[in-house]
């Protein structure tokens, strides 16, 4: 295991492996060659072997991969069973979309608190949770020690909130929906951007060029 | 130019180049070496040269890149100035979040129509647009010829809607927020997934492993 040196590019492919292995499990597939797994993922077999070798392999020459084992191992590498918890800050449309429609448990995360600063929003329901006032954030985080903060507040408020979160040592990762560039300023956190623009631009290229 | 053979992995990096070049323009930077551009993007200089060589280069030995020229060229490659138009289907929280907060023009796309099937939603405002009944979709698309359909409807309705859209030849790309796997079934379209789960799983790994 040489996890420390694994590049983020490899890590970013792991959720895709995990998803496809989950589907294979559902389809009753017990083992799969790297060639077939590669076809399914749109990667090359050598890419897959390289990626998985970063974590020690998992395959056997001539046998391929044991689907259940690989699925479990990748889930373990991703930390899906560590019981990570998260708070969400900003109950606008994006916050509501996540609370109501996103499958947090499947991503290995439990959403334990949601916050907003608007009086007419505080006290309303968001999925199974009741929206709390943002002034309660520090007390709640001190007590419950979530590792992740989800930023769905307006972009112009994102940087100040990230600054405020640096005082809360349990928070180690920001899931950032605001488009504000937070990594360079707040390097105490891992920041994961959900960047809609990049995705739509990529689609435009494919549409323009007639690429599937 | 060898656009046809450009891999999707390269294309997916172009919006990031574009974004950073835009910032450099705002900062008044007129030229930049591939080494400095690489640092800023978190890539290697040779990766950048390789990526841009797919489209014919743009750099000059010993000079680096002209920021304004490169920004314009990449915008052109991405098709940002082609006047692509889009319709959005499904005015739940995600649909509202996009209509109210997403900067479509910056991504080179004009949102021209939004649709829902719920009577209490039809006729309400979504940003500058009025929500139309989904029964009006075919007439509207026939008349206005949008290239992109944005799917923010419930996951279980996504595949049927994609099927319905295959009858509308102007639609060539789906921007898919539903998590439903549409590419394999409907290969008449380019499908771009906005996959929140992969992003959160990647963050969990980074948090678990103490990686920034």
């Amino acid at each position: 295991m040489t996890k420390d040196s694994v590049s983020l590019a490899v890590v970013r492919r792991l959720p895709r492996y995990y998803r496809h292995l989950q589907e294979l499990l559902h389809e009753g597939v017990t083992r799969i060659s790297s060639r077939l797994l590669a076809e399914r993922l749109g990667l090359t077999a050598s890419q897959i072997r390289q990626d998985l070798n970063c974590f020690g392999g998992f395959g056997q020459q001539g046998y391929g991969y044991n689907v259940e084992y690989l699925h479990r191992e990748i889930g373990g590498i991703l930390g899906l069973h560590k019981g990570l918890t998260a708070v969400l800050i900003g109950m606008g449309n994006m916050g509501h979309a996540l609370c109501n429609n996103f499958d947090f448990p499947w991503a290995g995360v439990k959403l334990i608190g949601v916050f907003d600063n608007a009086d007419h929003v505080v006290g309303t329901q968001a999925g199974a949770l009741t929206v709390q006032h943002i002034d309660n954030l520090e007390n709640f985080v001190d007590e419950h020690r979530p590792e992740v903060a989800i930023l769905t507040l307006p972009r112009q408020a994102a940087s100040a909130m990230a600054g405020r979160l640096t005082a809360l040592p349990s928070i180690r990762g920001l899931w950032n929906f605001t488009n504000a560039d937070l990594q360079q300023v707040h390097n105490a956190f891992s920041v994961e951007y959900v960047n809609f623009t990049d995705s739509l631009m990529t689609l435009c290229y494919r549409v323009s060029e007639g690429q599937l």
Side-chain angles (χ1 to χ4, degrees), chain A residues 4-22:
Chain A
D4 288 344
S5 57
V6 174
S7 83
L8 205 50
V10 177
V11 172
R12 284 196 194 291
R13 280 191 288 272
L14 292 183
R16 234 164 102 204
Y17 286 109
Y18 186 78
R19 232 175 335 113
H20 282 271
L21 289 163
Q22 176 111 342

Side-chain angles (χ1 to χ4, degrees), chain A residues 1 24 36 59 74 124-125 136 166 195:
Chain A
M1 295 278 184
L24 286 167
L36 281 178
I74 290 181
T124 61
Q125 285 301 113
N136 201 33
T166 53
N195 193 315

Side-chain angles (χ1 to χ4, degrees), chain A residues 4-204:
Chain A
D4 288 344
S5 57
V6 174
S7 83
L8 205 50
V10 177
V11 172
R12 284 196 194 291
R13 280 191 288 272
L14 292 183
R16 234 164 102 204
Y17 286 109
Y18 186 78
R19 232 175 335 113
H20 282 271
L21 289 163
Q22 176 111 342
E23 285 171 17
L24 286 167
L25 275 181
H26 284 177
E27 293 165 18
V29 177
T30 56
R31 68 175 182 170
I32 189 165
S33 67
S34 54
R35 190 179 58 78
L36 281 178
L37 186 59
E39 266 178 30
R40 194 166 174 126
L41 282 152
L43 299 169
T44 66
S46 89
Q47 170 94 78
I48 288 187
R49 279 190 299 265
Q50 261 181 44
D51 282 356
L52 298 181
N53 278 338
C54 295
F55 302 95
F58 310 121
Q60 258 179 276
Q61 192 74 40
Y63 176 87
Y65 295 103
N66 176 314
V67 173
E68 192 183 340
Y69 173 70
L70 187 57
H71 176 260
R72 194 172 54 237
E73 289 294 312
I74 290 181
I77 291 167
L78 285 169
L80 302 188
H81 315 299
K82 293 198 175 175
L84 296 181
T85 55
V87 289
L88 182 147
I89 300 166
M91 283 305 299
N93 290 309
M94 193 64 234
H96 274 287
L98 288 175
C99 287
N100 293 322
N101 305 122
F102 183 70
D103 189 351
F104 282 96
W106 202 75
V109 172
K110 186 170 180 195
L111 183 64
I112 59 170
V114 296
F115 296 85
D116 202 285
N117 65 356
D119 287 336
H120 69 279
V121 177
V122 173
T124 61
Q125 285 301 113
L129 298 166
T130 304
V131 181
Q132 302 180 58
H133 197 282
I134 191 68
D135 288 351
N136 201 33
L137 179 69
E138 280 77 5
N139 283 339
F140 184 90
V141 170
D142 279 343
E143 184 177 346
H144 297 283
R145 322 282 308 160
E147 292 86 359
V148 171
I150 304 166
L151 301 185
T152 48
L153 68 180
R155 180 191 165 130
Q156 58 272 24
S159 186
M161 180 54 68
R164 187 168 162 180
L165 291 167
T166 53
L168 300 169
S170 76
I171 303 285
R172 298 203 305 273
L174 304 183
W175 199 24
N176 179 15
F177 285 78
T178 72
N179 246 358
D181 188 352
L182 302 175
Q183 185 74 81
Q184 294 184 346
V185 186
H186 302 286
N187 59 17
F189 302 116
S190 302
V191 182
E192 189 69 24
Y193 296 84
V194 180
N195 193 315
F196 296 159
T197 308
D198 287 12
S199 161
L200 183 55
M201 283 183 178
T202 303
L203 180 62
C204 288

